[in-house]
Amino acid sequence: MPMSVRDLFDLTDRKALVVGAGSGLGRASAIGLADFGAAVIAADLDAAAADETAKIIAAAGNTASSMVLDVTDTAAANAAATEHPDTEILVVTPGYNVRRRLLDTTDLDFDRVIDINLKGSYRLMRAFGATMAARGKGSIITFASFRAQVIEPGQGLYAATKAGVVQLTKTMAAELGPAGVRVNAVLPGTFETPLTAQIKSDHDWWGAYEQKSILKRWAQPEEIAGAIVFLASDASSYVTGSTQLVDGGWTAADGRFEPTV
């Protein structure tokens, strides 16, 4: 009997490593995957935060553990892939932003943003891509941003790294597709997370973002989970090399003016 569409989303007995699971979109992703049956490893630089995510998942009757992982450490990324060679789902969420205009940034700013956002994603994709390819299956989900497509003054370094993540994602999808590994990028829009706390502290900035999206509001972290579950599961078995926007319609409309026609 053919599998039902509902069953395509079932992640039972699949191991998922969510990096950056200690808060925000990473935590929401981890909880969402666990709700659909995945055995989740919540990884984060902050051990206490990762452990808290694992406890939240376990309290709901699902399976989870936690680990410390620094995405700027190549050896740590390689060790994680070696320790968990049966990982079928990798979600890479960590992000770092320096909100300053390019003329005011420094080489240290550049190196830090690159090391976490772009090279951090690269380290994990390379390490787990190899083990997944060897097993002949797997789904890698990277986190880029709507800033990979549209920019704002003061976020040039962040935008550049997220555009780079998109291109790394497409390349790895092309290279690992024949081995049965799918690789896709999620491009979140305006989500209320620790990463956007600086914007929330500025009433005008926060309100302008709120009005720009078609839905006229900020998103909550749990609203990312549907896209993650879809890309992790067999429901997206023919989806790879894609960029999935979750931006409330921000990039669909220019938002300059609503004519009375």
Side-chain angles (χ1 to χ4, degrees):
M1 179 180 294
M3 181 177 289
S4 72
V5 172
R6 184 188 300 273
D7 290 340
L8 291 175
F9 291 90
D10 186 11
L11 299 174
T12 301
D13 296 327
R14 299 190 191 184
K15 179 184 283 188
L17 178 68
V18 180
V19 185
S23 65
L25 301 186
R27 174 172 286 178
S29 298
I31 292 171
L33 291 171
D35 282 345
F36 278 79
V40 172
I41 303 170
D44 202 281
L45 183 60
D46 185 333
D51 189 55
E52 179 63 24
T53 297
K55 288 179 179 177
I56 292 170
I57 291 171
N62 298 317
T63 302
S65 59
S66 64
M67 67 179 293
V68 175
L69 184 56
D70 182 356
V71 301
T72 68
D73 185 338
T74 298
N78 293 338
T82 299
E83 184 180 352
H84 301 285
D86 55 342
T87 298
E88 290 190 46
I89 302 161
L90 172 68
V91 183
V92 185
T93 75
Y96 178 75
N97 200 349
V98 174
R99 295 185 178 92
R100 284 196 287 273
R101 295 184 178 240
L102 289 177
L103 296 185
D104 297 322
T105 58
T106 67
D107 285 1
L108 289 176
D109 291 333
F110 183 90
D111 291 344
R112 182 65 172 162
V113 177
I114 288 286
D115 200 24
I116 294 174
N117 296 358
L118 185 57
K119 197 171 181 180
S121 297
Y122 160 74
R123 290 181 179 102
L124 291 163
M125 293 166 70
R126 180 179 61 182
F128 283 88
T131 58
M132 289 180 180
R135 297 181 72 234
K137 59 181 177 179
S139 174
I140 297 174
I141 304 167
T142 62
F143 267 58
S145 168
F146 72 136
R147 291 291 174 221
Q149 296 189 4
V150 292
I151 60 90
E152 174 181 78
Q155 298 205 57
L157 297 183
Y158 181 81
T161 60
K162 293 304 185 178
V165 167
V166 167
Q167 294 304 90
L168 283 181
T169 299
K170 291 179 179 179
T171 302
M172 186 156 280
E175 293 177 354
L176 298 188
V181 180
R182 298 184 297 106
V183 191
N184 295 283
V186 172
L187 281 61
T190 51
F191 278 76
E192 186 175 355
T193 70
L195 190 64
T196 56
Q198 180 184 4
I199 299 173
K200 188 173 184 178
S201 68
D202 184 321
H203 180 268
D204 291 339
W205 201 354
W206 181 267
Y209 269 42
E210 185 175 62
Q211 292 304 307
K212 172 60 177 73
S213 74
I214 290 174
L215 298 181
K216 304 300 183 187
R217 64 177 179 85
W218 280 73
Q220 295 304 305
E222 58 269 19
E223 293 182 274
I224 203 70
I228 301 303
V229 171
F230 169 68
L231 292 173
S233 71
D234 291 341
S236 62
S237 59
Y238 202 61
V239 179
T240 194
S242 75
T243 51
Q244 176 63 62
L245 281 160
V246 188
D247 69 344
W250 183 295
T251 56
D254 63 27
R256 292 175 297 171
F257 179 66
E258 294 187 17
T260 56
V261 295

